[in-house]
Amino acid sequence: MKFDIATVSRSLSAAAGILITVLYLGLGWYQAHHVAQTDYTVTTDKKVGNLRIALIGDSHLGSTFDADGFAKHLKTIEKAKPICSSLPVTLWTSAPLRRK
């Protein structure tokens, strides 16, 4: 079996592409299944006192965790004692949009 530069180069390129794809998808899976909390501090000259708000974003309910998993995350948020919570959502549908 002969190995020439072109064959080796193509094989290495294919292997690198597969490795990068597997690493990228693995990182995406990990981030989808491990919730991260990010804290922000906003300051203003207005007299609003200490204001704590919880924003729950990109939950992907049903694809990354179920209702019980979501309830577990809500209990964690409740421990922070926010004065209000917000759940911005993007609605996805598998049906194509049709104009009438």
Side-chain angles (χ1 to χ4, degrees), residues 1 6 16-17 21 29 35 40 60-61 63 77-79 82 88-90 95-96:
M1 182 173 186
T21 301
W29 180 90
V35 175
Y40 295 99
H60 299 280
L61 188 60
S63 62
I77 292 168
E78 285 176 4
K79 290 177 186 174
V89 297
T90 303

Side-chain angles (χ1 to χ4, degrees), residues 3 6 12 22 35 38 47 49 54 58 75-76 89 100:
F3 292 107
L12 288 176
V22 168
V35 175
T38 306
K47 297 183 184 213
D58 287 335
K75 287 186 189 296
T76 304
V89 297
K100 292 184 179 187

Side-chain angles (χ1 to χ4, degrees), residues 31-32 34-38 40 53-61 64-65 70 73-74 77 85-90:
Q31 289 180 333
H34 293 84
V35 175
Q37 177 179 329
T38 306
Y40 295 99
I53 300 170
L55 175 72
I56 307 160
D58 287 335
S59 62
H60 299 280
L61 188 60
T64 55
F65 49 85
F70 190 64
H73 292 302
L74 289 178
I77 292 168
S85 297
S86 176
L87 180 65
V89 297
T90 303

Side-chain angles (χ1 to χ4, degrees), residues 3-4 6 14 19 22-23 26 28-30 46 53-55 62 66 70 80 83-85 90 96 98:
F3 292 107
D4 61 347
L19 179 64
V22 168
L23 290 174
W29 180 90
Y30 178 84
K46 297 179 182 179
I53 300 170
L55 175 72
D66 58 7
F70 190 64
I83 63 162
C84 70
S85 297
T90 303
R98 297 181 186 176

